[in-house]
Amino acid sequence: MHSCFMNRRPSWALRTGGVLLLLSWSLGWAPAAEAASYEAKVFAITQWTSECSGGERPSWDDMATAWYDEVTRHGVFYKDGRFVNGRMSLRRFCDADGPGGSATCDDNAYVDDADAALLALHGGDKDNHWRGKLRVLDTLNECRLDAAEGIAVDDLFVGDQDLEFLHLSSCNSMNDNNINFTARSFWDATSATSGARLHQMNGFHGLMYIGKGYIDDYEDFAEEAHDVPLHLAWLDTMYRSNVGDGDEQCPVSFAIGATRADALNRLKTERYSKILSEPGGANAWAYSFFEGCDPTGLEAFNDPND
Amino acid sequence: MKTLHSFVLGLFAAGSLLSTPALAQQQLCPSLEALVDAALPAQVGDAAAMRMLLAPPATGRLSQVFQPDRAISAVRDSLKPEPSCPAYAPITATGQPFSCVYSNSTGSKLRVDLGRGRIAYRSKTRSEAADPNSLPPSYAMELATQVAASYGIPTAELSVTEAQVRGLRLSSLDGSSGERSSYRAEHHVRYPRRVGGTLVPDSGYHVAVDARGQVARLHVRWPDFQLAPGLSLSQMRSRSQVRDQLIADISAHNACGSVAAVKATVAYLPMRRLEQGGGRDEEALSTGQVSQETYAPGLLVGVVPAEPADPEEFQAAGEELWVPLLGNAAL
């Protein structure tokens, strides 16, 4: 067990971990992550395919892996899966229990099986939600991963199984016009009975950038989010000025709560080393951003709630 | 393991190999060629400019000036070194660069890693408070400048004219009642680093100032500046070689017509990250120097993808490329 707050249901790994631990001791070897009980997973695409095309970004997995290596170095999270390219298709991210969900959807075994997950892939802004560009087709026959906003094509409903923190290294993953729809991805129909919901999501308003010079930022984020609130660690480390043609890279953090005060308190205090109990609802939300941050491809962040 | 020198030569060889076979391919995209031609700075391929880049001014070393007590005092906190910390010296008794975490019972931490030129101060209490902040941005700028001196950041490298202040804002909404709030919680001050006027893009100084005018967090990425050994003017790549490689690199990741803008700036690039995969070169360690980072002149290139025809379709992520300016002539 670790010292951080445990007022939440244990992950599948923790529930079965006791047996594995006893077995490992009896066999005379120590588990790789002694104290860590939370699962970290990375899903990154650097090369797309003929069936789901996209511009190659060779440094993206290095950036994601820097987060993965660092976040699992502090005794809270352990490495539970690093998925790069390969069969990166919709089934890993869509929710069988979500509105219009298919039995093929298997997020419970992938993104929603983690406690903290980082997704690295191209992204777009569809209606009032982010959509990610997947790498290959599966039987769902779709290259797109649509975050939820309450429409029939929604895919991304997370937190109902396990996930607490979802970091989106993706363009348009937290655009200002989508802010008031973001909370819909934090739960599904089973959340009402299980009480399980996503705690916090982090993304970007407008374009974000890929390159060797960004690798350290992801390492720094993973480290800092153990020391101070996660939302600040994301903003501190992911903000960049003078990117591209002189624009800014604009990180945004978003948390939910049963009430507005609860959402704000969660945003202000939750970190990797202080994981709070499950949010009691998703009717209220709080978020942080840099005033006037002006990215490539969009106007400066215009807060819809100010 | 490879030596730093062979690593440098290997890097240059890779650049050489990259540029040649791509020449034919690049001819197929005149629009990209035009963007690159317009973006290429005048210094590229210019011997006089390269001579200056290879003779940067001595501007001081953070590792020789940094004092933990002074750094802790500057953020007005009380911190003690953790038991594993060695006695302070830029190079410790074991021959390693100084590294230590200072902490206290309220959750404040000062992480010092002089080998990587990194210092981070984080106050959990001040960061969690996030109260409404009515201080003027000028206060935050002045505080950040004062604290920079206390951390040993060489004044000549701190690009004051490019310093930037941004407000960090917290907003909230009750989706049922419509009740909402929005306020500024922190000022964030950021300074880039320049050596002899040339940007050092992996370095920087950042301070977050809370509502009480205190430093809530501080980040210094400022390795002592030293050029990689063995660099010389005779290795300078021609303007056309750099141009060809840049076109090839962009073309490798972006279809013709999918790039909207290219911006290129001459910079000092860290050798550690110039190597594919970003791994640290093992032979570069334990040189007896405090800082384990070395630099080489290169081109920092921002590649802006074109907006999709359908605004609701996917937007390719922007890209930052690094192109070495030295290489082929040495081979």
Side-chain angles (χ1 to χ4, degrees):
Chain A
M1 297 294 289
H2 53 77
S3 60
C4 56
F5 287 26
M6 285 295 292
N7 189 11
R8 55 177 294 278
R9 76 208 180 288
S11 65
W12 178 88
L14 192 61
R15 293 196 299 269
T16 57
V19 176
L20 295 174
L21 196 62
L22 287 172
L23 182 62
S24 68
W25 282 341
S26 69
L27 294 173
W29 50 269
E34 293 172 356
S37 58
Y38 289 93
E39 302 154 292
K41 290 185 196 285
V42 153
F43 302 87
I45 305 176
T46 64
Q47 294 175 314
W48 278 257
T49 63
S50 56
E51 59 188 29
C52 296
S53 62
E56 183 179 339
R57 293 292 181 271
S59 295
W60 220 335
D61 60 332
D62 296 327
M63 294 156 59
T65 301
W67 171 82
Y68 188 57
D69 287 344
E70 182 63 28
V71 80
T72 51
R73 211 175 57 82
H74 296 261
V76 178
F77 293 89
Y78 67 91
K79 293 182 176 179
D80 194 44
R82 176 180 173 273
F83 303 87
V84 177
N85 295 323
R87 303 296 305 168
M88 201 75 80
S89 67
L90 182 56
R91 61 181 288 271
R92 293 179 176 181
F93 307 101
C94 62
D95 189 331
D97 300 321
S102 157
T104 303
C105 289
D106 199 18
D107 71 340
N108 286 356
Y110 290 94
V111 65
D112 208 356
D113 177 55
D115 293 285
L118 188 144
L119 272 59
L121 69 175
H122 291 310
D125 185 336
K126 170 67 174 171
D127 298 332
N128 291 301
H129 66 270
W130 165 80
R131 63 169 25 163
K133 185 66 175 283
L134 300 163
R135 186 169 191 267
V136 292
L137 296 170
D138 54 28
T139 55
L140 296 165
N141 200 35
E142 184 58 77
C143 291
R144 297 164 174 164
L145 162 64
D146 282 274
E149 68 163 275
I151 55 177
V153 297
D154 293 349
D155 301 310
L156 190 70
F157 300 89
V158 285
D160 53 289
Q161 171 73 10
D162 202 2
L163 193 64
E164 278 84 30
F165 306 121
L166 178 60
H167 315 308
L168 297 175
S169 176
S170 186
C171 296
N172 303 303
S173 46
M174 198 85 49
N175 285 354
D176 54 5
N177 62 302
N178 297 339
I179 280 289
N180 285 339
F181 298 86
T182 302
R184 187 60 192 91
S185 277
F186 281 56
W187 56 280
D188 76 2
T190 63
S191 295
T193 49
S194 69
R197 297 174 179 90
L198 184 69
H199 295 202
Q200 187 169 147
M201 188 187 290
N202 313 89
F204 295 93
H205 171 64
L207 255 65
M208 44 86 64
Y209 281 76
I210 310 302
K212 292 175 183 174
Y214 292 74
I215 296 171
D216 287 352
D217 296 352
Y218 284 72
E219 177 188 330
D220 288 352
F221 163 59
E223 182 197 74
E224 178 158 327
H226 285 85
D227 290 344
V228 298
L230 199 152
H231 81 106
L232 293 172
W234 183 257
L235 267 65
D236 283 355
T237 55
M238 296 296 158
Y239 174 83
R240 288 282 189 116
S241 62
N242 204 22
V243 296
D245 197 18
D247 299 308
E248 292 173 278
Q249 180 172 279
C250 302
V252 181
S253 296
F254 185 101
I256 61 164
T259 64
R260 193 173 60 80
D262 179 41
L264 201 51
N265 181 61
R266 289 172 167 280
L267 183 74
K268 288 167 66 171
T269 59
E270 193 160 28
R271 60 182 190 272
Y272 285 148
S273 52
K274 181 185 175 183
I275 300 177
L276 301 176
S277 59
E278 297 292 339
N283 285 335
W285 44 91
Y287 50 97
S288 55
F289 59 96
F290 286 112
E291 297 169 353
C293 194
D294 193 358
T296 309
L298 284 180
E299 299 295 315
F301 192 94
N302 183 15
D303 186 2
N305 299 312
D306 189 5
Chain B
M1 291 198 300
K2 56 196 169 189
T3 64
L4 178 61
H5 183 62
S6 66
F7 161 60
V8 172
L9 294 180
L11 173 71
F12 293 154
S16 170
L17 290 171
L18 270 176
S19 63
T20 308
L23 282 171
Q25 188 182 3
Q26 77 191 24
Q27 304 298 332
L28 301 175
C29 193
S31 60
L32 178 60
E33 288 185 66
L35 287 173
V36 169
D37 288 339
L40 220 53
Q43 300 106 300
V44 175
D46 183 286
M50 181 55 71
R51 199 172 287 116
M52 291 182 68
L53 287 167
L54 292 176
T59 48
R61 290 171 178 267
L62 181 147
S63 69
Q64 302 306 308
V65 181
F66 178 76
Q67 292 291 335
D69 291 347
R70 195 166 168 229
I72 293 166
S73 174
V75 294
R76 297 176 198 166
D77 208 337
S78 178
L79 303 165
K80 299 293 180 193
E82 293 189 346
S84 60
C85 290
Y88 178 72
I91 295 281
T92 64
T94 61
Q96 297 299 311
F98 182 75
S99 177
C100 175
V101 177
Y102 299 78
S103 59
N104 66 20
S105 58
T106 68
S108 292
K109 285 183 180 171
L110 176 72
R111 297 179 183 269
V112 181
D113 182 353
L114 291 187
R116 298 181 72 189
R118 286 168 175 246
I119 305 163
Y121 167 73
R122 297 160 188 151
S123 166
K124 179 174 71 68
T125 310
R126 296 173 189 176
S127 298
E128 285 185 351
D131 295 321
N133 189 326
S134 58
L135 294 168
S138 58
Y139 173 89
M141 183 76 86
E142 287 172 22
L143 177 64
T145 306
Q146 290 169 13
V147 173
S150 299
Y151 276 71
I153 296 175
T155 307
E157 296 181 359
L158 198 66
S159 187
V160 176
T161 57
E162 296 175 285
Q164 180 211 51
V165 187
R166 277 256 178 256
L168 185 148
R169 202 162 190 87
L170 295 182
S171 294
S172 60
L173 176 74
D174 185 312
S176 301
S177 68
E179 182 189 3
R180 65 193 68 201
S181 74
S182 182
Y183 66 90
R184 177 185 297 161
E186 294 179 338
H187 288 291
H188 284 237
V189 185
R190 296 174 198 264
Y191 289 79
R193 181 189 194 184
R194 288 185 182 270
V195 171
T198 300
L199 190 68
V200 187
D202 75 319
S203 295
Y205 169 57
H206 165 238
V207 177
V209 180
D210 72 2
R212 295 186 173 187
Q214 307 170 112
V215 174
R217 297 174 308 288
L218 173 152
H219 304 90
V220 177
R221 276 193 203 171
W222 220 274
D224 292 345
F225 186 83
Q226 51 192 338
L227 288 178
L231 303 182
S232 76
L233 186 61
S234 65
Q235 300 164 340
M236 189 180 76
R237 305 173 73 195
S238 70
R239 190 173 177 83
S240 63
Q241 284 175 316
V242 173
R243 173 187 181 276
D244 289 349
Q245 185 184 340
L246 182 51
I247 292 172
D249 288 354
I250 296 174
S251 299
H253 308 157
N254 301 277
C256 187
S258 68
V259 174
V262 176
K263 183 181 180 184
T265 308
V266 172
Y268 288 117
L269 302 178
M271 297 301 293
R272 176 173 60 95
R273 287 290 187 219
L274 273 169
E275 186 181 31
Q276 183 64 36
R280 185 187 292 239
D281 186 71
E282 294 178 42
E283 288 295 313
L285 299 172
S286 304
T287 58
Q289 301 274 359
V290 178
S291 178
Q292 304 297 300
E293 196 71 271
T294 61
Y295 294 87
L299 212 51
L300 176 71
V301 183
V303 181
V304 180
E307 292 185 19
D310 176 354
E312 293 191 333
E313 263 305 327
F314 292 96
Q315 174 72 66
E319 194 167 26
E320 184 181 280
L321 300 173
W322 292 358
V323 181
L325 292 178
L326 294 173
N328 292 346
L331 302 175

